[in-house]
Amino acid sequence: MKKQFEAALFDYSQGVLSLERTIREYWHDKKVNATGNIQNAPYSYVLGMFPYPSGNAHMGHALVYSLTDTTARLKRFQGENVLHPLGWDAFGLPAENAANKNNIHPAAWTESNIRTMRDEQIGQMGFSFDPARELNTSSPEYYKWTQWLFLQLYKAGLVYRAEEWVNWDPIDNTVLANEQVVDGKGWRSGATIERRKMEQWYIRITDYAERLHQGLNHLPGWSDAAKSAQRYWIGRSEGSDIDFNLHGHDKAEPVSVFTTRPETLFGATALVLAPENEKLDHFLKDEFKRQVLTYRQQALRKSEVDRISAEEKTGVATGIEVVHPLTGQVLPVYVADYVLNSHGTGAVMCVPAHDSRDYDFASAMGLSSIQVIDAGEPVDLPYTEAKGTLMNSGDFDGMVCENAAQAITEKMQEMSAGGASVRYKLKDWPLGRQRFWGAPIPMLQDQEGNWLAVPEDQLPVTLPAKEEIDFSAAKGRLSLETMDDFVHFAAQDGQEYTRETDTMDTFMCSSWYAWRFLGPQNDDQAWDPEEAFKWMPIDTYVGGLEHANQHLIYFRFMSYFLYDQGLTPSEEPIKKFLNNGMVQMGGTKMSKSKGNIVRPDDMIEKYGADALHMYILSTGPHDRNFEWREEGLRHKQAFLGRIYKLYREVKFSSSLIERLEASDVSESWSKDLLAKLDKTAKGIEQEILDHANYHVAIAKTHEFANEIFSRRAETNTAEREKVYQYVCQNFLKILGITAPHISEHLWQRSFDIQRSLFQQPWVNIDPALLPTQQYDFSVPVMINGKKRAEYRVSALQSDDEIIQGIMDRKEELALDTYFHGAAIGKTIVVRDKRAENAPKMVNLQLVKNHS
Ligand code: ANZ
């Protein structure tokens, strides 16, 4: 037995690479992975975050796209239209660095990497990407529309230019957004970030801070981890602004502080400014100027993380004084680096008795403290809880904290010296990068220095081509600034203009790529809004949690903006977000720097793509990190080898058996096997689509395979033989969603069927056999062809009852937004004739209301 098994395994493992290659060619020739467009079928968009074309696909790619591929294949089987594309996030520094080093154009480096990754690495995995939907963000056909989008933001008043403190990466020589600074270091270079003052283009993303924050409450398909990362980053905090007038300068603008604890106002013994805060520079007397400027310079060299986490607080006096708005007392103003310029107003009131940072600072500076909250028992200072009643606070004495906070805030409002305020950590998005390899910002300056937008019909503003670059003059640093033909030009009006030489942050390119996949060859539009209404929001999006503070913020912002422009159907771009875990080896993340990389192509060469695909999905819940074990791959290959052998040995009658149900057979052997098939298929659907438990789906696949192996010797009646063949045919669909090559191969070889396995319907699940309550279940609610909700129905309800039920629960189902300005047209309740006419899907056609 063992010998035989090994022989068969030998067979499969010997032939697997050519088997897989042949199958991929077949899929390609037959366009099996083309995006569906069947009327009245749901539209499902399944997307993995697109890769940077570094030239090296890694195990993370294999993991992300294995998750999307299995989802996409299952949904196709279920008869849905599926969009499952792959593109390239192709602008960025590595290409530019490589180009500088080797005097080649970054485009050439990028293209050759794309070829390697597409044709040799990711291509070998056999993922069901539609090749017609490929895109490359560094191609002029793409970045023309990135520039167009910039102009739409500009027209909407969401782009402005300002001189601000920016994060400066001294290795990559460029500005970075806060999102790209991780623990005080540049996210690519690892350089300690400096602060510089520069004039820059900004996107007013903070206009959307509140909506981005609130939107998180309506994302049931996101993990709590992803939502809280976003919540933290947006950093909404409710509090009050309080104004302090400058002592001795009655006419001067007051200094505002932001506080979450307005009830402690009487405990303020100083006012502290962030070092970068220049608002009071004007009032600095000479004897203080020097120390303030020196301290500022020192602070600029520290990262924000180091500043707030430093145990010893430092600071300098400014000699400036302010007046307490309620006591009239004169308080000193300090500059200290524990106050950040980027938060609140860049100034705080220092309340040593009730805030530990202020307490440390006051101790270091010898400032006094005033206790203003009576905890009801003796406490050590600082007492930081907001529990107790007020003391030393004039008219507010005796009030409990919460009431006092409100009363003091109202008082400030009455005095026009502040009031309630909401502040966000999220900052406007500095867009320009002082780099060559990015989408040029489509702005011009006339000779007087006025900025103008490049007219839309003149897009794209293209990067200089290879022939236009003098590599010897570039001296290892390509820079648009030095390329005169790019910078200067005379327009038709005879005027001379200069172009903006900053290029856009690559996060701009990836903030809208999901829409471009709806028609990447479209020359007339960035995308057709009608397509967006079919496909968006994305049904399943897969990628790393490390993007929660970067890409996902920009992506959500863009979607809100596009929604406001009427170009996409929903504010949120992603219904279900699966954040994948990391592949580890020796307990740490696989990475080049650690030298613990296992390359997917090496593994494919040894075991085949199907084994890799199955292994990687079987290692545990998708969001957990997992330890790489090559042994696991060997097991998967052995498993596939056994299946291969079985299908070779069984004599099938070669024809397709369309449907077989319990009622068609008489032996309990047959009924039982059919029931197990249906239960397995249903279980896998639920595990993948409802619970994202891909590993459990694979366990179920193994379990059912064992059933097939063990029943093989029992097919001794005509009925059993037929049932067995039917089950073997259907098992290939189940196996196909995780091991597509071998399944297609066995399908083609064992049965005389012209069409691809992946163009077959999913296992026909006989509802009578399922243990789940068949009279109370969920059906998809489709609005204009796109699934928008799930609704629980009973098989006994009439069409009218179902439609009415949905209309009554519009809000609960989060469908109300689709009904704004629209009237209900045709309604269809699709029923399943094979399942006692139980409702299967509800279609609502909405028509725009023009009245
Ligand atoms: C007085 C006070 C008294 C405070 C007290 C706290 C406790 P969030 O927004 O949740 O981080 N703060 C305000 N702006 C700051 C800045 N630019 N840099 C550093 N700290 C800043 O917390 C807001 C609180 O953090 C504010 O409330 C302020 O200190 C401080 F018993 O004001 B509080």
Side-chain angles (χ1 to χ4, degrees):
M1 174 69 195
K2 183 137 190 286
K3 230 176 176 170
Q4 231 180 354
F5 164 76
E6 275 170 3
L9 173 62
F10 180 77
D11 230 344
Y12 171 68
S13 63
Q14 284 297 298
V16 60
L17 290 187
S18 81
L19 177 157
E20 291 186 345
R21 194 175 327 107
T22 314
I23 290 298
R24 283 195 299 274
E25 282 163 12
Y26 168 80
W27 287 332
H28 188 264
D29 293 347
K30 300 272 181 209
K31 297 197 168 49
V32 168
N33 297 325
T35 305
N37 197 11
I38 309 161
Q39 276 224 326
N40 259 327
Y43 287 87
S44 264
Y45 192 168
V46 183
L47 186 64
M49 289 182 183
F50 67 163
Y52 176 75
S54 63
N56 292 303
H58 53 69
M59 222 34 103
H61 296 127
L63 172 61
V64 169
Y65 307 127
S66 290
L67 288 163
T68 61
D69 193 62
T70 293
T71 317
R73 287 185 189 277
L74 175 58
K75 290 189 177 218
R76 280 205 193 102
F77 268 136
Q78 292 179 319
E80 303 194 5
N81 294 311
V82 173
L83 173 57
H84 181 225
L86 183 77
W88 307 98
D89 190 9
F91 272 135
L93 267 175
E96 191 167 331
N97 292 342
N100 283 330
K101 206 160 130 202
N102 308 320
N103 284 351
I104 52 165
H105 196 280
W109 185 86
T110 305
E111 270 153 32
S112 119
N113 283 348
I114 289 179
R115 265 196 304 279
T116 311
M117 287 178 79
R118 182 190 49 216
D119 303 341
E120 292 164 29
Q121 301 172 341
I122 296 181
Q124 278 201 68
M125 292 282 307
F127 296 126
S128 58
F129 299 125
D130 179 354
R133 302 280 174 146
E134 185 175 333
L135 59 78
N136 167 350
T137 59
S138 69
S139 67
E141 297 77 41
Y142 185 92
Y143 70 68
K144 168 177 177 176
W145 300 109
T146 307
Q147 292 171 339
W148 173 83
L149 205 55
F150 172 90
L151 295 180
Q152 305 316 302
L153 291 162
Y154 184 72
K155 276 198 278 190
L158 291 168
V159 175
Y160 65 98
R161 205 170 157 76
E163 191 179 29
E164 288 283 357
W165 290 99
V166 295
N167 303 306
W168 180 260
D169 182 325
I171 291 189
D172 284 346
N173 284 313
T174 183
V175 169
L176 294 180
N178 284 350
E179 286 77 9
Q180 294 156 342
V181 179
V182 181
D183 295 337
K185 308 262 193 293
W187 70 300
R188 285 264 184 240
S189 69
T192 299
I193 292 306
E194 297 167 6
R195 308 278 297 164
R196 279 196 188 180
K197 201 152 199 191
M198 279 175 70
E199 211 182 284
Q200 283 284 298
W201 294 106
Y202 285 88
I203 295 188
R204 221 181 277 283
I205 185 167
T206 52
D207 270 17
Y208 283 76
E210 183 62 27
R211 286 167 73 189
L212 291 171
H213 171 85
Q214 295 298 346
L216 295 171
N217 298 328
H218 310 286
L219 290 177
W222 287 47
S223 69
D224 288 338
K227 282 188 280 196
S228 51
Q230 288 245 326
R231 220 169 257 130
Y232 175 78
W233 192 260
I234 295 167
R236 181 184 197 275
S237 69
E238 275 183 30
S240 308
D241 285 348
I242 297 178
D243 297 347
F244 289 75
N245 286 319
L246 288 191
H247 181 51
H249 302 276
D250 293 347
K251 298 246 160 55
E253 280 262 314
V255 188
S256 265
V257 303
F258 172 67
T259 176
T260 43
R261 304 282 309 278
E263 75 275 20
T264 63
L265 177 56
F266 285 81
T269 56
L271 198 128
V272 189
L273 301 182
E276 302 92 329
N277 190 333
E278 293 166 323
K279 279 187 203 130
L280 301 186
D281 277 10
H282 184 62
F283 302 99
L284 281 173
K285 297 218 180 73
D286 283 347
E287 63 265 38
F288 290 97
K289 213 173 221 161
R290 230 184 119 145
Q291 67 178 25
V292 169
L293 296 185
T294 312
Y295 187 78
R296 178 175 295 157
Q297 286 314 316
Q298 285 165 356
L300 289 175
R301 270 180 253 126
K302 292 189 197 164
S303 70
E304 289 197 344
V305 194
D306 288 344
R307 278 166 55 169
I308 49 177
S309 55
E311 275 186 21
E312 282 196 16
K313 302 272 178 285
T314 60
V316 290
T318 63
I320 301 170
E321 291 169 329
V322 289
V323 184
H324 191 288
L326 294 180
T327 66
Q329 269 190 327
V330 172
L331 309 178
V333 176
Y334 284 80
V335 164
D337 67 6
Y338 77 98
V339 180
L340 302 179
N341 199 42
S342 54
H343 187 43
T345 59
V348 306
M349 61 179 189
C350 176
V351 184
H354 301 290
D355 181 278
S356 41
R357 297 158 301 177
D358 293 345
Y359 183 86
D360 295 343
F361 180 70
S363 311
M365 298 289 132
L367 291 169
S368 61
S369 64
I370 307 170
Q371 183 177 352
V372 291
I373 299 170
D374 179 356
E377 56 184 13
V379 287
D380 290 335
L381 294 185
Y383 171 65
T384 58
E385 280 179 63
K387 264 194 239 140
T389 49
L390 260 62
M391 58 192 273
N392 295 327
S393 296
D395 295 348
F396 302 92
D397 276 358
M399 277 188 167
V400 296
C401 282
E402 210 178 313
N403 297 344
Q406 201 176 346
I408 292 181
T409 304
E410 279 165 14
K411 175 87 186 161
M412 300 320 295
Q413 201 152 4
E414 249 171 60
M415 294 166 55
S416 300
S421 131
V422 178
R423 297 274 173 177
Y424 305 88
K425 277 222 273 305
L426 185 73
K427 293 295 145 209
D428 280 341
W429 179 9
L431 192 70
R433 297 292 176 271
Q434 294 66 49
R435 313 298 319 187
F436 174 88
W437 193 230
I441 295 179
M443 296 297 289
L444 304 168
Q445 240 178 338
D446 66 17
Q447 280 167 313
E448 275 91 61
N450 303 309
W451 286 101
L452 298 127
V454 173
E456 278 178 27
D457 61 4
Q458 286 173 34
L459 297 180
V461 176
T462 40
L463 290 167
K466 185 165 175 257
E467 313 72 63
E468 294 164 302
I469 299 176
D470 178 354
F471 283 96
S472 59
K475 294 206 186 68
R477 172 149 165 68
L478 289 179
S479 153
L480 288 174
E481 259 174 325
T482 60
M483 299 181 187
D484 283 349
D485 290 346
F486 177 84
V487 178
H488 298 286
F489 73 101
Q492 283 165 347
D493 60 11
Q495 287 244 36
E496 295 266 327
Y497 293 94
T498 55
R499 285 193 191 283
E500 169 61 90
T501 54
D502 277 2
T503 51
M504 289 186 233
D505 182 2
T506 55
F507 279 104
M508 178 76 180
C509 313
S510 55
S511 70
W512 75 279
Y513 78 120
W515 285 273
R516 187 63 183 167
F517 276 133
L518 308 181
Q521 273 99 26
N522 193 337
D523 286 336
D524 309 322
Q525 283 165 299
W527 65 89
D528 177 351
E530 247 178 56
E531 291 294 305
F533 276 76
K534 274 190 208 160
W535 294 107
M536 292 301 286
I538 296 171
D539 295 86
T540 306
Y541 195 42
V542 183
L545 200 54
E546 70 274 19
H547 292 287
N549 296 341
Q550 306 185 331
H551 163 62
L552 287 176
I553 293 261
Y554 301 128
F555 191 8
R556 290 184 63 226
F557 158 72
M558 199 55 85
S559 184
Y560 274 73
F561 168 68
L562 296 172
Y563 171 78
D564 291 349
Q565 301 282 308
L567 295 171
T568 197
S570 62
E571 292 179 315
E572 291 291 341
I574 305 156
K575 265 208 212 157
K576 189 197 282 180
F577 172 55
L578 302 181
N579 45 269
N580 60 276
M582 278 183 302
V583 192
Q584 301 184 325
M585 208 156 94
T588 50
K589 182 185 172 182
M590 272 192 186
S591 77
K592 242 200 226 152
S593 58
K594 303 225 171 56
N596 61 353
I597 294 268
V598 178
R599 290 166 48 106
D601 24 342
D602 292 344
M603 292 299 107
I604 292 173
E605 191 138 328
K606 272 170 102 170
Y607 304 100
D610 284 343
L612 176 59
H613 197 165
M614 267 197 117
Y615 165 66
I616 218 165
L617 292 180
S618 68
T619 52
H622 70 276
D623 54 352
R624 306 265 172 83
N625 297 343
F626 72 89
E627 180 70 18
W628 179 261
R629 288 209 177 80
E630 198 169 323
E631 202 185 298
L633 257 169
R634 242 190 314 274
H635 287 153
K636 290 296 178 236
Q637 194 193 36
F639 168 70
L640 295 174
R642 284 179 70 198
I643 290 177
Y644 185 77
K645 174 170 172 281
L646 175 85
Y647 277 76
R648 279 186 72 143
E649 288 174 2
V650 174
K651 267 252 140 311
F652 294 113
S653 77
S654 92
S655 61
L656 176 71
I657 305 169
E658 295 263 0
R659 174 163 308 120
L660 211 50
E661 283 176 9
S663 51
D664 304 329
V665 293
S666 55
E667 291 185 56
S668 63
W669 186 96
S670 314
K671 286 186 193 289
D672 178 59
L673 184 56
L674 289 175
K676 282 193 170 124
L677 170 69
D678 287 9
K679 214 174 128 213
T680 304
K682 188 72 202 166
I684 285 176
E685 275 180 12
Q686 289 170 336
E687 290 303 338
I688 292 179
L689 301 176
D690 300 343
H691 311 298
N693 277 330
Y694 293 78
H695 62 303
V696 181
I698 292 202
K700 285 187 187 291
T701 307
H702 278 282
E703 212 178 288
F704 194 69
N706 286 337
E707 191 72 33
I708 297 183
F709 288 129
S710 71
R711 297 243 187 178
R712 189 185 156 195
E714 300 166 5
T715 54
N716 45 13
T717 67
E719 179 187 290
R720 289 184 182 193
E721 235 176 71
K722 186 171 178 194
V723 169
Y724 196 72
Q725 166 151 347
Y726 175 75
V727 165
C728 283
Q729 280 175 353
N730 279 282
F731 175 66
L732 291 181
K733 300 173 187 172
I734 291 173
L735 183 68
I737 61 175
T738 53
H741 300 90
I742 185 175
S743 305
E744 178 80 86
H745 171 87
L746 294 175
W747 178 262
Q748 300 287 334
R749 237 217 8 225
S750 313
F751 312 109
D752 182 22
I753 299 162
Q754 290 310 306
R755 300 188 64 161
S756 160
L757 170 66
F758 297 98
Q759 290 164 332
Q760 303 297 323
W762 183 232
V763 182
N764 167 53
I765 300 171
D766 180 357
L769 291 178
L770 292 175
T772 46
Q773 317 104 310
Q774 28 167 328
Y775 292 111
D776 187 11
F777 46 89
S778 288
V779 294
V781 180
M782 321 276 297
I783 293 188
N784 297 346
K786 173 86 177 161
K787 180 173 159 189
R788 299 296 177 188
E790 287 271 346
Y791 179 61
R792 284 197 86 73
V793 293
S794 125
L796 306 172
Q797 276 179 302
S798 70
D799 288 8
D800 286 350
E801 281 168 344
I802 293 172
I803 304 284
Q804 194 53 48
I806 293 171
M807 297 307 288
D808 292 346
R809 288 172 191 76
K810 271 196 307 234
E811 279 189 24
E812 209 179 293
L813 296 167
L815 290 174
D816 42 336
T817 53
Y818 304 108
F819 287 84
H820 290 322
I824 219 172
K826 212 164 145 194
T827 62
I828 310 162
V829 176
V830 183
R831 291 182 179 265
D832 192 347
K833 289 210 186 68
R834 297 169 324 209
E836 299 169 42
N837 255 344
K840 213 169 78 176
M841 176 163 84
V842 180
N843 269 315
L844 306 175
Q845 293 293 335
L846 296 189
V847 272
K848 284 240 165 71
N849 218 337
H850 292 293
S851 62

